[in-house]
Amino acid sequence: MDHSDVHKWQRQIDGFFAKRANAQEREDLCQESWYRLARLQQRGEVLTPQLVSTVCHGVWVDYLRIRHKQDEHEQPLQGDCACVEWEAESILRMDVHSALLHLPPAERELLLRHYLLGETCTELAQMLGVTEAVVQKRIQRARARLRQHLRDYAGGG
């Protein structure tokens, strides 16, 4: 692997964990990702952005599993594997929370009021003193920005 590739992959790995982990955790998670990527390369795998994201996602899921067990909140498997459902929900919740923090405060508040508090576009328009169409456009832009921050969720590119 040449020097430019290392920097490219390091930026991608750092970016993945910057959205999810604090500074103390990030270094360990990055090192584990590099270790797994090196093992894959030894087996002949070619590193691609998708593979790097998938490895980072796997490291993150493993970390959450360990942390969940340490917190002693693991529930027994029920029916269709409730633990896996918890894990997916936890990852999504953490990713959405982290992505929301990247939004400007006005956009974050608009999305929270609309989707969590259930306020309609009409109510929001009255509160903000704008038309309903303006509120709908602002929500659309905020959702697009949120999607941009979530683009690498679940190993996506």
Side-chain angles (χ1 to χ4, degrees):
M1 181 182 320
D2 68 35
H3 197 66
S4 63
D5 283 342
V6 169
H7 287 293
K8 179 173 108 177
W9 302 131
Q10 186 63 44
R11 279 193 308 273
Q12 184 178 351
I13 293 167
D14 287 340
F16 185 92
F17 293 114
K19 298 176 184 179
R20 294 167 174 82
N22 65 42
Q24 296 169 340
E25 301 163 326
R26 197 167 32 241
E27 185 176 340
D28 290 339
L29 294 167
C30 288
Q31 286 179 356
E32 177 63 23
S33 297
W34 274 115
Y35 173 74
R36 291 184 188 187
L37 288 168
R39 286 182 45 206
L40 288 170
Q41 265 196 319
Q42 286 176 342
R43 290 190 222 145
E45 292 284 337
V46 175
L47 297 187
T48 64
Q50 179 67 33
L51 179 61
V52 172
S53 288
T54 301
V55 167
C56 289
H57 181 75
V59 168
W60 180 242
V61 168
D62 291 345
Y63 170 74
L64 287 178
R65 285 179 181 151
I66 291 167
R67 197 168 83 184
H68 181 66
K69 288 179 183 177
Q70 287 173 344
D71 291 342
E72 297 181 359
H73 292 296
E74 183 107 58
Q75 297 179 10
L77 298 180
Q78 303 165 355
D80 198 357
C81 196
C83 182
V84 173
E85 291 171 15
W86 167 88
E87 186 174 275
E89 287 175 20
S90 295
I91 293 168
L92 180 59
R93 190 177 307 109
M94 292 173 86
D95 285 346
V96 169
H97 180 266
S98 185
L100 280 169
L101 294 176
H102 285 83
L103 295 179
E107 287 184 353
R108 182 172 51 243
E109 182 180 358
L110 188 62
L111 289 178
L112 293 174
R113 291 182 82 116
H114 183 65
Y115 290 105
L116 291 180
L117 300 177
E119 294 181 21
T120 65
C121 290
T122 305
E123 292 169 332
L124 292 168
Q126 290 172 351
M127 179 192 76
L128 296 171
V130 296
T131 66
E132 190 174 336
V134 169
V135 169
Q136 290 171 343
K137 188 65 177 173
R138 287 180 185 175
I139 289 173
Q140 183 182 19
R141 267 186 299 212
R143 286 178 57 190
R145 196 180 314 245
L146 185 64
R147 245 188 255 95
Q148 178 68 26
H149 288 293
L150 288 169
R151 74 184 178 276
D152 63 349
Y153 171 70

